[in-house]
Amino acid sequence: MTVNEQFFSIVIMTASGIFIGAVIDATRIFTSAISPKSLLRKFSWILEIVIWALLGVASFYIIFLIKGGEWRLVDPLSQILGIFLYESFLQPFFRFLGRVFIVLVIRPIVAIITMTIKLVRGIIRMLIRIIAVLFRPFYKLFIKIKRPFYRKIANFKRAIFKKH
């Protein structure tokens, strides 16, 4: 392996360390923003362990792609360097990008979905009210017809279940 390839692998592993730091930070921010009563918040440590495991598998896959599976001590050291770089210098920038992403992408999508749900609910309520208005005369007629029969049935029930 040439010096150029070694430098390239160190840069890639440092970048993967920065990515790992960003993913773990985003996961912690996400789980802390969830309601304390949420099941996901209560078991957030399991989620973090799963994410750490997936990131470890992804790191070994990167090593496999770049070096053909040769693992050297410089690889985890460069990843730790990337995590420290993220924590020291890049965390405010990535958090700013996350807030911008939420404001420009997530909130409009959520607003469109909630507006669509409210629109569909309003249309369904309007249709139900129209149907109720159309059937109101028939309902009143049904009540007038049903009352004499209901009284006979109620009297029959009293006769059967009468206390002696």
Side-chain angles (χ1 to χ4, degrees):
M1 184 175 258
T2 65
V3 175
N4 189 23
E5 291 172 343
Q6 288 177 352
F7 178 75
F8 181 66
S9 69
I10 289 173
V11 169
I12 287 179
M13 294 310 286
T14 304
S16 73
I18 291 171
F19 177 75
I20 288 171
V23 168
I24 293 300
D25 189 38
T27 303
R28 289 178 180 165
I29 289 172
F30 171 73
T31 55
S32 67
I34 297 174
S35 170
K37 295 179 181 179
S38 172
L39 189 65
L40 186 62
R41 175 93 180 254
K42 290 178 183 176
F43 295 108
S44 63
W45 60 276
I46 295 174
L47 176 68
E48 191 166 336
I49 289 173
V50 168
I51 289 176
W52 272 109
L54 291 173
L55 290 171
V57 169
S59 296
F60 281 112
Y61 184 68
I62 290 171
I63 290 172
F64 179 74
L65 289 177
I66 294 173
K67 297 181 175 185
E70 290 181 28
W71 184 82
R72 306 242 167 126
L73 182 61
V74 75
D75 297 328
L77 292 176
S78 59
Q79 276 192 327
I80 291 171
L81 171 70
I83 292 171
F84 285 152
L85 280 174
Y86 173 78
E87 291 289 329
S88 301
F89 302 111
L90 300 173
Q91 189 176 36
F93 176 70
F94 274 88
R95 286 187 176 182
F96 172 74
L97 286 180
R99 286 191 300 270
V100 168
F101 179 75
I102 287 172
V103 168
L104 294 179
V105 176
I106 302 296
R107 284 192 181 161
I109 290 172
V110 169
I112 289 171
I113 290 171
T114 55
M115 191 171 61
T116 305
I117 289 171
K118 287 181 181 181
L119 182 69
V120 169
R121 279 185 185 167
I123 290 172
I124 290 172
R125 285 181 183 160
M126 186 177 66
L127 289 174
I128 289 172
R129 287 180 182 164
I130 289 172
I131 291 171
V133 166
L134 289 176
F135 281 106
R136 176 167 256 151
F138 298 110
Y139 178 74
K140 288 182 178 179
L141 183 65
F142 176 73
I143 293 296
K144 287 185 178 183
I145 292 172
K146 187 179 85 167
R147 279 189 187 152
F149 293 115
Y150 181 73
R151 286 183 189 147
K152 288 180 184 177
I153 292 172
N155 289 335
F156 183 70
K157 284 182 186 176
R158 281 190 214 130
I160 293 176
F161 299 110
K162 189 176 184 182
K163 292 183 181 179
H164 296 283

